[in-house]
Amino acid sequence: MIVELISVGTEILLGNIVNSNAAYLSEKCAGLGLSCYYQDVVGDNEERLCETIRTALSRADILLLSGGLGPTQDDLTKEAAAKVLGKQLYLHEESKTAIQQFFDKRGLEITDNNWKQAMVPEGCIVVDNPNGTAPGIIMAENGKHVILMPGPPGEMIPMFERSIMPYLSKLQSCVIFSQTVKVCGVGESKAETMVKDLIDAQTNPTIATYAKTGEVHLRVTARAEDEKAARKLVKPMVKELKGRFGNHIYTTDDEVTLEKAVVDLLLANKLTVSTVESCTGGLLAARLINVPGVSEVFKSGYITYSNKAKRRLLGIKKNSLLKHGAVSEEIAREMAKGAAMVSKSDVTVSVTGIAGPDGGSEEKPVGLVYIGCNVCGRITVKECRFSGDRTKVRDNTVSAALSLMRQCILQYYSEVTFGSKEK
């Protein structure tokens, strides 16, 4: 079946808010096996909204509208959809009671315009909204399904997952199952080249590559009569990808981030970690600290932005800074070594670079970054050259540092294990 997304709100058109609802719904619809060919954004104008709904109905089986269900005069989604489908609005007593209870529970005074939200089209399915005052609405007419949801993500997402997704699942004659293979340390172009033959020959399951900051995600998707059969189709393809990418795959779990994979690796090997950052200014430490349970392994984070801080906190020699410059392989190495000495951590990661937009030269351009990783005395330094603005350079640096940490820890234990066997 074909689905079309319509996001309602002048504030989206003006760029006042980011349309995160469309991104969320797109991903969920893909997982349900619904084909989405168009996404629309329309302002709070009844005439244009009606025109958008009519056009969408001419080319899609399911319309998912978010936004425009509030109490004010410019909230017109429900009115426009009812008008297009020829439905009259009536007062839904259950919704009126829910709205009253919502205000009473919070000790707020209700205003008359809120009762507008209890008006629903005749013959519709009313969807409860425990997180707000605007109920959702499902209208089915001549094989078409028009579904209205509130705009705030805190209301829309729970409603979709609790009520709308089960409704949509029943409309499908098959089940779609996807599994994501997350890869780090391999660029997008190389990753695509490594699976090009699989993509060219794909039927069911299919493979799609997605470039993330410092990562590549490969989504394997299968269609079958039930989830068990779909999983069975996905399994051998994931196994093939594991054979091709090896240790570059850090997870096949959608919920696991790169930083969580690194923290899990530290926990599994009972390693402590400290970070020492210059151009990233604490972003690397922040990514790690976002992971629950990191307190078991994270000892300290140093921000040594100036040369003086590098000398005072890490013991880096003045002559080294003068000879090589702060942005150099040698200083990244000394930073990682110095951090290990002062923190007594098993793993230390250093970052030094030129994030821009100023400070670059022909010899050392903006985007040049050195990342050092010290695992139990074994130090590896990686040179990176990133493009983009200051934010992009710093974000890419953090992802590269996490990837290098993981790689160095795996390599250390591989060599230690291999060496013990040789002996």
Side-chain angles (χ1 to χ4, degrees):
M1 300 184 77
I2 299 172
V3 64
E4 187 155 337
L5 309 182
I6 302 176
S7 303
V8 183
T10 302
E11 66 273 17
I12 303 174
L13 291 174
L14 294 175
N16 297 138
I17 63 171
V18 176
N19 190 7
S20 60
N21 285 353
Y24 169 83
L25 291 171
S26 297
E27 185 174 13
K28 293 299 181 182
C29 287
L32 288 167
L34 300 170
S35 300
C36 182
Y37 302 136
Y38 296 92
Q39 295 182 12
D40 313 295
V41 178
V42 59
D44 301 304
N45 178 280
E46 186 173 1
E47 183 180 346
R48 288 192 287 273
L49 185 49
C50 286
E51 180 184 355
T52 302
I53 294 172
R54 291 191 189 99
T55 302
L57 283 170
S58 71
R59 60 196 181 194
D61 306 299
I62 302 167
L63 273 58
L64 294 179
L65 294 92
S66 60
L69 297 183
T72 60
Q73 289 185 343
D74 63 350
D75 290 310
L76 301 165
T77 301
K78 180 172 46 185
E79 290 76 6
K83 183 176 181 179
V84 170
L85 294 176
K87 304 288 185 181
Q88 296 295 317
L89 298 177
Y90 74 96
L91 181 65
H92 187 250
E93 292 294 340
E94 289 85 349
S95 293
K96 182 179 179 182
T97 300
I99 292 169
Q100 183 69 63
Q101 291 174 345
F102 184 92
F103 278 85
D104 290 346
K105 185 177 179 180
R106 290 157 178 77
L108 301 174
E109 182 180 352
I110 193 167
T111 54
D112 287 341
N113 59 353
N114 280 282
W115 303 126
K116 175 179 181 287
Q117 295 174 105
M119 300 295 291
V120 302
E122 58 186 356
C124 74
I125 299 172
V126 179
V127 183
D128 291 338
N129 179 11
N131 300 292
T133 53
I137 292 169
I138 299 175
M139 292 182 279
E141 190 83 9
N142 299 321
K144 304 284 187 176
H145 304 266
V146 180
I147 301 174
L148 316 181
M149 296 172 288
E155 298 178 37
M156 189 278 291
I157 292 174
M159 179 183 290
F160 184 85
E161 294 184 350
R162 186 184 65 253
S163 304
I164 307 304
M165 189 181 293
Y167 177 85
L168 294 176
S169 297
K170 292 177 182 178
L171 301 179
Q172 288 289 79
S173 59
C174 63
V175 167
I176 298 293
F177 174 75
S178 295
Q179 188 167 6
T180 302
V181 177
K182 298 184 180 181
V183 176
C184 64
V186 177
E188 180 189 9
S189 299
K190 183 178 179 181
E192 187 175 36
T193 301
M194 291 173 68
V195 297
K196 188 177 185 302
D197 60 315
L198 298 177
I199 294 174
D200 290 343
Q202 67 186 2
T203 51
N204 186 28
T206 59
I207 302 176
T209 59
Y210 301 90
K212 304 293 182 178
T213 302
E215 305 176 37
V216 178
H217 294 182
L218 299 101
R219 176 164 291 175
V220 182
T221 304
R223 183 190 303 264
E225 64 275 9
D226 56 41
E227 185 175 324
K228 184 178 179 180
R231 284 178 176 272
K232 190 174 180 179
L233 290 171
V234 165
K235 188 175 180 179
M237 185 62 75
V238 171
K239 184 178 180 180
E240 176 66 24
L241 293 175
K242 286 181 177 179
R244 296 190 181 199
F245 288 94
N247 283 337
H248 289 293
I249 295 174
Y250 70 85
T251 188
T252 57
D253 185 340
D254 273 333
E255 303 304 316
V256 175
T257 61
L258 179 55
E259 53 267 34
K260 177 169 171 48
V262 171
V263 170
D264 288 345
L265 191 60
L266 292 165
L267 287 166
N269 291 286
K270 298 180 180 179
L271 297 171
T272 55
V273 64
S274 290
T275 58
V276 54
E277 305 174 62
S278 183
C279 65
T280 47
L283 290 179
L284 175 58
R287 280 276 294 269
L288 290 168
I289 291 170
N290 277 340
V291 180
V294 74
S295 58
E296 295 293 322
V297 294
F298 191 89
K299 292 187 74 171
S300 53
Y302 305 92
I303 301 175
T304 55
Y305 207 75
S306 67
N307 286 351
K308 185 177 181 180
K310 292 178 178 67
R311 291 168 53 197
R312 180 170 58 85
L313 295 175
L314 305 174
I316 293 177
K317 297 175 182 178
K318 184 176 181 180
N319 287 341
S320 295
L321 289 164
L322 291 173
K323 181 178 179 180
H324 305 291
V327 180
S328 62
E329 177 181 343
E330 292 78 8
I331 296 304
R333 184 179 300 276
E334 288 193 34
M335 287 171 68
K337 184 177 180 180
M341 292 180 65
V342 296
S343 69
K344 308 301 181 186
S345 294
D346 303 308
V347 179
T348 53
V349 186
S350 63
V351 174
T352 181
I354 305 169
D358 303 317
S361 64
E362 186 174 345
E363 182 184 359
K364 295 184 178 182
V366 169
L368 174 65
V369 174
Y370 290 94
I371 304 168
C373 184
N374 183 349
V375 180
C376 301
R378 300 188 182 192
I379 303 177
T380 301
V381 179
K382 181 178 181 180
E383 178 186 306
C384 302
R385 293 178 182 263
F386 299 116
S387 59
D389 62 14
R390 184 177 180 84
T391 298
K392 188 175 180 182
V393 169
R394 296 171 78 219
D395 287 343
N396 274 299
T397 298
V398 172
S399 294
L402 290 168
S403 180
L404 183 63
M405 282 177 66
R406 181 178 174 275
Q407 174 190 327
C408 289
I409 294 169
L410 290 174
Q411 186 175 353
Y412 174 80
Y413 280 100
S414 174
E415 291 176 358
V416 168
T417 302
F418 180 78
S420 63
K421 288 181 179 179
E422 286 293 298
K423 292 177 182 178

